[in-house]
Amino acid sequence: MAKAIGDTAGPGEDRPWSNSLGRGRVPGPRLPQQRVFDDVVGPSTQSVHSGTYIDPVTGAVGTPIFTSSTFEFNEHTYGAFDQGHIRDVPIYGRYGSPNQWVVQEKVAALENAESAVVFASGMAAITTTLLALTNRGGHIVTSRDVYGGSYNLLREDMYQLGRDVTFADATSMDAIVAAVRPQTQVLFFETLTNPLLKALPLAELGEYAERNHLLLVVDNTFLTPYCLRPLELGAHVVIHSATKYLGGHSDVTAGLAVGSRKYMDRLWKQMLKFGGSIDAFPCFLLERGLKTLALRMRAHVANADALAAFLAGHPKVRTVHHPSLPDYGYPAIREICRDGFGGMVSFEVAGGDEAALKLLERLTIPQVATSLGGVESLVSLPFNTSHSFLTEAQRRDIGIEPGLVRLSAGVEDTADLIADIDQALNGI
Ligand SMILES: *Cc1c(COP(=O)(O)O)cnc(C)c1O
């Protein structure tokens, strides 16, 4: 049985850490009514139980939705103001609320971290994190392969804000090291890139960041803590667009940053100023989605693995990009992933973009839409969506060949997805 840890003092009881110099590192924030499990339980148990608020009045087994934007002051509130730990008591919606804390505790448990901050979107998490962890004159090393929103922020806004940015090949340790300068403060990368699913040399990068006193920020949206926990490999902050797998049902926009209490306190202070805080209702949806994270990820992984193998053997398919395949270019990722590589697969159909458009028209199960990580399979073409701002030559330069299809495998029956994609491919 898991042992409950953390702050279990009830209202009016002493919080022993409140007088301790180490209090800034105490995990949380959380309420005494929240369920807390340490890392001896597995990801399914964490998904279901970690963080849940058990209502002491009704005994409700699920977290109530606290829509209140402000909370009555009591001696704890005044104590918190006095002692400077206002992140730990409910005061005001933007500062923290029970529904935010429930989600934060669950994701922190899943990433095996002390703390987390939930945001109104993945981009709010990214802007807040990068600006909190750098300052004027600082330098960031990242890659052109990062999510479009992140790329635009790094390319268009960071310089205005006094941060220099260098874009390096995220798959090459040598290229990353060559980009580092004395002013470098943050390395920012994604665990698997979009749409070609190139992997980061994460274990080496974690050691390098440690040796060189650099902060490593990793966007783990594509893999989730079910597949990979970057903090255990030396990352300092993990980012999620919870709009994707963590929410899992394409019905909520949210983001998270996860890490030690020290870094999360820093990000939280920045979030208070930038204002990317999230309301109770999307937190409720996110908590509900997270309860089945492990269950869903098992199905996403099984479908993506099966589809990658099927596509690799199909005569109408030229290339398949997936970490499970023998010819995948970055096999080191297999040694660090706990169970599979998420649900994304990308592949090139013979006949180029025209053939790819025909494929999309013929599919009956996957829906043609952007985004990923929901229970429904989604399919899109980089050439007319995420990478439409590039010319065909520029796309080829970064490995996006004509006919490339990006598929987010949902949790439908594997045989149905294969049959549907097979008929669609055979008809083009
Ligand atoms: C979607 C996405 C984001 C942005 O998240 P939003 O919730 O849409 O703001 C950031 N990183 C990755 C890898 C994404 O897929």
Side-chain angles (χ1 to χ4, degrees):
M1 194 50 213
K3 144 177 90 73
I5 54 165
D7 179 14
T8 52
E13 288 172 50
D14 249 11
R15 282 175 167 73
W17 48 267
S18 64
N19 290 318
S20 127
L21 284 177
R23 70 169 188 265
R25 290 177 173 279
V26 171
R30 61 173 78 106
L31 291 161
Q33 291 80 14
Q34 279 182 256
R35 306 196 78 188
V36 179
F37 292 86
D38 59 25
D39 203 43
V40 299
V41 300
S44 295
T45 308
Q46 299 280 25
S47 300
V48 175
H49 292 293
S50 281
T52 306
Y53 176 98
I54 305 293
D55 180 41
V57 177
T58 63
V61 300
T63 305
I65 304 174
F66 295 89
T67 55
S68 191
S69 63
T70 189
F71 300 86
E72 269 190 332
F73 286 169
N74 58 30
E75 63 189 283
H76 291 299
T77 331
Y78 292 117
F81 275 117
D82 185 45
Q83 301 192 15
H85 59 91
I86 56 174
R87 197 181 160 213
D88 293 280
V89 290
I91 293 176
Y92 179 68
R94 179 162 37 83
Y95 283 59
S97 71
N99 293 94
Q100 291 175 14
W101 293 354
V102 163
V103 166
Q104 289 174 181
E105 177 61 35
K106 200 185 284 296
V107 178
L110 286 161
E111 290 280 9
N112 196 16
E114 283 182 356
S115 189
V117 182
V118 63
F119 294 86
S121 68
M123 282 313 301
I126 292 166
T127 47
T128 304
T129 301
L130 292 180
L131 286 163
L133 298 183
T134 55
N135 43 36
R136 203 170 178 81
H139 175 243
I140 298 170
V141 178
T142 184
S143 118
R144 283 207 171 72
D145 285 326
V146 292
Y147 175 73
S150 305
Y151 178 67
N152 292 340
L153 169 78
L154 289 155
R155 197 175 55 96
E156 294 166 5
D157 298 84
M158 281 299 174
Y159 183 74
Q160 298 292 333
L161 294 162
R163 280 79 163 161
D164 249 346
V165 179
T166 303
F167 297 92
D169 177 355
T171 64
S172 155
M173 233 8 251
D174 290 345
I176 295 169
V177 170
V180 169
R181 308 174 187 166
Q183 297 80 14
T184 306
Q185 295 176 318
V186 165
L187 312 175
F188 174 63
F189 295 103
E190 293 175 5
T191 44
L192 276 187
T193 68
N194 173 43
L196 297 174
L197 307 179
K198 293 189 254 176
L200 194 61
L202 183 59
E204 282 169 271
L205 200 56
E207 280 170 26
Y208 174 79
E210 201 54 49
R211 271 201 315 279
N212 293 279
H213 309 290
L214 299 166
L215 294 178
L216 176 58
V217 178
V218 173
D219 181 333
N220 197 27
T221 300
F222 272 43
L223 283 177
T224 82
Y226 177 80
C227 296
L228 181 68
R229 303 206 292 200
L231 296 171
E232 294 175 347
L233 295 164
H236 297 86
V237 177
V238 165
I239 302 279
H240 285 283
S241 168
T243 314
K244 317 292 166 55
Y245 289 107
L246 301 192
H249 295 73
S250 307
D251 58 4
V252 63
T253 299
L256 277 125
V258 195
S260 68
R261 179 75 201 237
K262 182 175 86 169
Y263 293 124
M264 292 307 108
D265 283 355
R266 237 156 107 178
L267 302 197
W268 175 77
K269 281 190 185 156
Q270 195 75 49
M271 186 272 284
L272 293 185
K273 291 180 277 184
F274 287 170
S277 69
I278 185 168
D279 260 339
F281 189 66
C283 285
F284 163 77
L285 288 174
L286 185 49
E287 183 194 1
R288 188 182 155 106
L290 277 162
K291 286 183 185 181
T292 55
L293 179 71
L295 202 63
R296 285 185 287 106
M297 288 314 293
R298 247 173 251 134
H300 285 297
V301 163
N303 276 346
D305 287 359
L307 287 169
F310 162 76
L311 288 164
H314 200 285
K316 293 271 172 78
V317 174
R318 290 177 43 198
T319 313
V320 185
H321 305 278
H322 194 263
S324 68
L325 296 175
D327 63 349
Y328 178 70
Y330 316 95
I333 190 81
R334 293 183 199 137
E335 276 140 53
I336 56 175
C337 278
R338 305 205 294 170
D339 185 5
F341 315 102
M344 300 300 293
V345 184
S346 61
F347 58 99
E348 282 163 40
V349 294
D353 292 328
E354 220 172 291
L357 284 167
K358 282 201 193 116
L359 171 80
L360 264 50
E361 257 170 49
R362 294 186 57 92
L363 287 170
T364 64
I365 297 175
Q367 291 165 278
V368 181
T370 188
S371 198
L372 62 120
V375 289
E376 59 290 289
S377 290
L378 297 178
V379 67
S380 62
L381 306 181
F383 100 89
N384 61 4
T385 58
S386 58
H387 293 73
S388 60
F389 62 95
L390 299 176
T391 65
E392 186 173 317
Q394 285 172 322
R395 280 195 293 271
R396 280 202 139 120
D397 224 36
I398 56 171
I400 299 177
E401 296 287 332
L404 188 74
V405 179
R406 186 184 95 150
L407 173 66
S408 169
V411 302
E412 300 94 337
D413 292 300
T414 314
D416 292 341
L417 288 177
I418 288 181
D420 190 37
I421 293 172
D422 191 35
Q423 67 75 23
L425 281 169
N426 293 333
I428 58 180

